[in-house]
Amino acid sequence: MTDVLTPVEVRGRLTAGAPLAPLVWFKAGGPADELFEPADVADLQDFLRTTRSDVAVWPLGLGSNLIVRDGGVRGVTVRLGKAFAGITVEGNTLTAGAGAPGISVASYARDNAIARLEFLRGIPGTVGGAVRMNAGAYGREVADVLVSADIVLRSGERVTKLVDHLVYTYRHSELPPGAIVVGATFAGVPGSPAVIGAEMDRIAAKREASQPLRSRTGGSTFKNPQGHKAWALVDAAGCRGLRRGDAQVSEKHCNFLLNLGSATSAEIEALGEEVRTRVLAHSGVQLEWEIQRVGDPA
């Protein structure tokens, strides 16, 4: 186990050897050396400030776009709970804690007649993860609506970065290593709650019809290459339904990988690599992982 060696007594919860599989959508993977669930931002700052700088720190959201490898995650995994899930509104601007799910932000915006945030209904993760990876769906992404992000650096310093400072590209930001998003401010426009709600319902129905939402999955596995749809490349390469152990390419949407019951993270990741190999051989396109993969092999 990693010796955190923090001289302060945390007000949140610090657990050694905490299982991570129950916290991720695939329900697979090894434990965290240490799992820290801070009581609030100040608790997180104190912890980072007093923890040895050589101890790796990594934030975990809802675990929806993630493979935790079977050997577990070294260092400290930080999970932001309800204390980081608050949402407030001022005019057409909405500020949310990093632990707030995308669907909660979209619903709060609807209830306050703020449009342009409906797409967050289709993001199966938290604000922190969405800001970090420039999450997007249904023609819009975080970079289109973000004003600024509130961030705690690895040193424990709290800073605010404007959207331009995050240097967003497709499903990527330039957040500093070890930095943890603790909140974000989004800008919308005035809208009708009924119209906003109808668009959210459309997004929810489309997701339900096209994606295996009730399965153990990690969401979209590969980024869409320029000029292509990842799912179409996977399908054309004959990978729909492809299996490795209990890991399977979804037959409903073949840019989703599934854990049919007892798949290991190694099997899930290996299946993804086999898909990449087959797509490259068939179409000449090199798929890039969208799912984050962390930790060590067994």
Side-chain angles (χ1 to χ4, degrees):
M1 292 296 172
T2 297
D3 182 6
V4 173
L5 293 179
T6 175
V8 299
E9 184 174 345
V10 299
R11 289 180 288 110
R13 180 183 302 171
L14 183 63
T15 308
L20 293 180
L23 304 181
V24 301
W25 282 28
F26 273 124
K27 303 303 179 192
D33 279 355
E34 304 273 356
L35 177 66
F36 180 44
E37 299 167 282
D40 49 34
V41 175
D43 194 28
L44 174 62
Q45 289 181 272
D46 288 343
F47 179 83
L48 293 177
R49 189 181 297 118
T50 55
T51 298
R52 296 196 329 254
S53 61
D54 62 322
V55 175
V57 174
W58 169 75
L60 170 66
L62 293 183
S64 59
N65 199 239
L66 179 69
I67 293 173
V68 173
R69 294 185 174 112
D70 300 304
V73 180
R74 304 288 71 79
V76 179
T77 298
V78 176
R79 189 167 187 249
L80 306 182
K82 291 182 179 179
F84 294 82
I87 305 173
T88 59
V89 165
E90 184 174 345
N92 294 311
T93 299
L94 184 150
T95 298
I103 185 174
S104 297
V105 176
S107 298
Y108 205 90
R110 176 201 60 210
D111 294 345
N112 286 272
I114 300 174
R116 292 189 79 230
L117 303 182
E118 297 90 339
F119 76 100
L120 292 172
R121 171 65 179 83
I123 304 298
T126 60
V127 165
V131 169
R132 175 173 291 276
M133 68 171 290
N134 190 22
Y138 305 99
R140 192 162 285 156
E141 58 188 9
V142 166
D144 298 329
V145 296
L146 184 71
V147 176
S148 62
D150 197 14
I151 297 163
V152 175
L153 302 177
R154 178 61 184 85
S155 63
E157 180 187 2
R158 183 174 181 173
V159 300
T160 298
K161 287 188 175 290
L162 299 177
V163 61
D164 290 346
H165 296 162
L166 296 176
V167 195
Y168 275 134
T169 53
Y170 178 65
R171 303 296 178 265
H172 178 75
S173 71
E174 293 294 338
L175 274 175
I180 297 176
V181 177
V182 293
T185 298
F186 303 97
V189 297
S192 159
V195 174
I196 295 167
E199 174 62 7
M200 289 173 59
D201 290 345
R202 184 191 71 82
I203 288 171
K206 188 170 182 178
R207 290 186 69 229
E208 182 71 34
S210 64
Q211 300 176 9
L213 301 180
R214 304 184 190 282
S215 305
R216 295 181 178 184
T217 183
S220 295
T221 305
F222 304 110
K223 299 177 182 179
N224 287 323
Q226 187 69 35
H228 298 277
K229 293 290 188 182
W231 75 264
L233 293 170
V234 174
D235 199 15
C239 296
R240 185 182 293 268
L242 185 66
R243 286 185 64 167
R244 178 178 288 236
D246 255 3
Q248 182 186 45
V249 176
S250 171
E251 295 182 350
K252 187 173 187 179
H253 189 314
C254 47
N255 195 28
F256 282 62
L257 301 181
L258 308 178
N259 177 359
L260 299 181
S262 59
T264 63
S265 291
E267 288 173 330
I268 296 168
E269 188 171 6
L271 177 61
E273 290 297 340
E274 183 174 350
V275 169
R276 295 178 72 232
T277 297
R278 292 193 182 199
V279 168
L280 181 61
H282 181 266
S283 64
V285 177
Q286 181 71 72
L287 291 177
E288 294 184 29
W289 285 90
E290 181 172 322
I291 286 179
Q292 186 180 11
R293 296 158 295 147
V294 300
D296 296 337

